[in-house]
DNA sequence: ATACACCTTAACGCTGCGTCAAGGTCAATG
DNA sequence: CATTGACCTTGACGCAGCGTTAAGGTGTAT
């Protein structure tokens, strides 16, 4: 198929002026000029224009594009794979921006707090990849992705009052655990009260509470040394004691 | 928190020059100027800048932004909801672009064919909404979404040779059906051969063949008047006959 | 007191087109 | 066959949104 300027322009969703400009700067020359001086574009030009638009969409300057697609060793397939990768990156960034809007909305309605830094998340390009690579992996691998990640987010978004209340609840869990430990009975009333406090505390972090998840976290307190260390400060074996109490409390036994 | 130009610039991921320019054109004035003439930005300015960047990301001109966020009845929450919607639209467009890359890759490797128009899908903004609204609904509602839609896609992407072969298979189905109809026996050999040809024909459209899906389509030939009309051209009751034959062929009976 | 990282205003330059202006081409129409 | 209307051409100016350079003041740590 052959196209005049406006034909190709309409096809590609750009202006005729843009095509003339691309001709002028040598980025995209028509296949030929007809007897009346009209620009006529053919199949090759269509493919080249597609490449140009992909690069443009990704924010590459026209001169750089010219160098890239004009290079003698330019590979369309290779370029397309590159485009794919870059577009996926862009989509990721868009998702961050959307999350930002949601968060800002929640903040504007007073439901959560928000740092200045968070208010600009998603606007800056790049850099996030590195963070993702550096930290993302180990942290998520250990914690089990989704749930823990979400908890952390929710924690970051609390208002100060909420945060204070959580802190209070957290320390009362520790206090109750201390008393319960003295009895030595994870099924006893004190231990069960501790488990209940622990449930309340967790509910601040989670959207939905389930017995299974609660028991899962209790088990993690024993499996993950960071948590174990935290609870065992009170007394060695405290983490295991809390886990036993929660298992009994929830009725879940793994 | 208070920020100098560079402080805010780093926070927001923009340049100090940009902030000075925004001051110059009255888009974002600092909260105050200190004794040495430094620009100092406060909390309000941060929120305003966030709004500005959202609009900018969506391609709105600076002057228009100025009018919007400077309007006396400007509502942050309302704006955020708008942003959300626009960003979702943008993400949709990005998805189209990514699909385009994938398709172009398949095309470049000779696996499918591709029209010129398809090569520019996703570059043009807008308009797709209307198409979606106008056609999408009725068509999908009737046909059962996914499967039919996918089939259509696959059909569009075939090379010419493939297409020719499919056409040939399709007409041989009709021919076989005609002969089979003469026997009047959907369980007979001719009818079963027809069902087998029909299976082969379907396999060109589907990624994975299952007896159930095959039988489902056969039933649709009776239920949907467009298909019924198509087959009944041969002879009234042809669609029902084909369905019966396919039911026997697949061993599925609904 | 000097070095260094900030800040200021002022000015010019660049990209990627949009937007006239002034004119030729082409097919259908009265 | 002349006119109309939708195309095409080159040429030129204009504009947004900054980047960049220049020439200089500020703040504080050594």
């Amino acid at each position: 198929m052959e196209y005049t300027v406006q034909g190709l322009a309409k096809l590609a969703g750009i202006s005729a002026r843009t095509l003339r400009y691309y001709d002028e700067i040598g980025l995209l020359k028509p296949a030929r000029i007809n007897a009346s001086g009209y620009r006529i574009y053919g199949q090759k030009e269509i493919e080249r224009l597609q490449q140009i638009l992909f690069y443009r969409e990704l924010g590459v300057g026209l001169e750089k594009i010219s160098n890239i697609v004009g290079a003698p060793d330019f590979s369309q397939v290779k370029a397309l794979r590159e485009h794919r990768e870059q577009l996926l990156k862009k989509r990721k960034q868009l998702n961050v921006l959307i999350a930002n809007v949601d968060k800002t909305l929640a903040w504007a309605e007073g439901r959560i707090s928000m740092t200045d830094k968070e208010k600009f998340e998603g606007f800056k390009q790049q850099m996030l990849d590195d963070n993702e690579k550096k930290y993302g992996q180990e942290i998520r691998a250990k914690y089990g992705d989704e749930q823990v990640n979400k908890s952390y987010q929710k924690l970051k978004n609390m208002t100060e009052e909420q945060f204070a209340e959580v802190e209070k609840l957290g320390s009362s869990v520790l206090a109750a655990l201390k008393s319960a430990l003295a009895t030595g009975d994870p099924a006893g009333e004190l231990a069960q009260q501790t488990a209940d406090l622990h449930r309340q505390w967790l509910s601040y972090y989670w959207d939905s509470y389930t017995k299974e998840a609660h028991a899962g976290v209790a088990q993690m307190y024993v499996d993950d040394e960071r948590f174990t260390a935290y609870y065992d400060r009170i007394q060695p074996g405290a983490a295991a004691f809390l886990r036993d109490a929660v298992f009994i409390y929830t009725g879940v036994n793994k």
Side-chain angles (χ1 to χ4, degrees), chain A residues 164-234:
Chain A
E165 213 161 335
V166 167
E167 286 287 314
K168 216 174 94 190
L169 247 177
S171 57
S172 66
V173 167
L174 286 181
L177 181 56
K178 212 168 176 177
S179 324
L181 269 166
T183 71
D185 178 16
E189 198 175 346
L190 273 175
Q192 289 307 297
Q193 273 175 18
T194 307
D196 188 60
L197 277 172
H198 186 246
R199 177 191 59 75
Q200 287 179 48
W201 180 72
L202 264 184
S203 299
Y204 265 95
Y205 294 96
W206 289 357
D207 290 328
S208 63
Y209 172 87
T210 68
K211 287 179 298 180
E212 288 72 25
H214 189 181
V217 165
Q219 181 60 46
M220 194 171 73
Y221 286 177
V222 176
D223 293 341
D224 191 298
E225 56 188 332
R226 282 168 296 188
F227 290 106
T228 311
Y230 177 72
Y231 287 102
D232 281 6
R233 277 183 318 170
I234 306 175

Side-chain angles (χ1 to χ4, degrees), chain A residues 10 19-20 31 39 41 62 79 127 161 180 183 196 213-214 222:
Chain A
K10 275 184 184 163
L19 281 176
R20 289 197 199 98
R39 292 173 177 82
Y41 296 87
L62 296 189
M127 253 182 10
E161 305 99 83
T183 71
D196 188 60
H214 189 181
V222 176

Side-chain angles (χ1 to χ4, degrees), chain A residues 7-35:
Chain A
L8 182 53
K10 275 184 184 163
L11 183 71
I14 60 180
S15 77
R17 171 69 172 112
T18 299
L19 281 176
R20 289 197 199 98
Y21 180 64
Y22 287 178
D23 179 9
E24 187 185 331
I25 63 171
L27 177 55
L28 180 70
K29 297 255 176 216
R32 60 194 178 81
I33 307 283
N34 80 0

Side-chain angles (χ1 to χ4, degrees), chain A residues 16-108:
Chain A
R17 171 69 172 112
T18 299
L19 281 176
R20 289 197 199 98
Y21 180 64
Y22 287 178
D23 179 9
E24 187 185 331
I25 63 171
L27 177 55
L28 180 70
K29 297 255 176 216
R32 60 194 178 81
I33 307 283
N34 80 0
S36 322
Y38 288 19
R39 292 173 177 82
I40 307 293
Y41 296 87
Q43 210 52 44
K44 272 187 192 169
E45 288 70 35
I46 289 183
E47 279 145 40
R48 185 166 166 130
L49 178 55
Q50 191 204 24
Q51 285 293 329
I52 291 169
L53 292 184
F54 271 124
Y55 280 112
R56 194 182 70 164
E57 183 73 21
L58 294 167
V60 182
L62 296 189
E63 197 179 336
K64 206 170 200 170
I65 296 179
S66 201
N67 291 335
I68 295 174
V69 301
D73 65 334
F74 174 71
S75 152
Q76 194 190 8
V77 173
K78 219 171 125 189
L80 284 167
R81 291 199 209 288
E82 262 277 317
H83 295 328
R84 211 188 119 82
E85 216 171 302
Q86 292 300 113
L87 287 171
L88 290 179
K89 256 189 201 168
K90 211 177 165 185
R91 189 169 63 181
K92 242 187 184 171
Q93 192 209 336
L94 243 185
N95 283 331
V96 175
L97 254 183
I98 292 170
N100 186 340
V101 171
D102 286 337
K103 242 158 90 177
T104 308
L105 259 171
W107 168 80

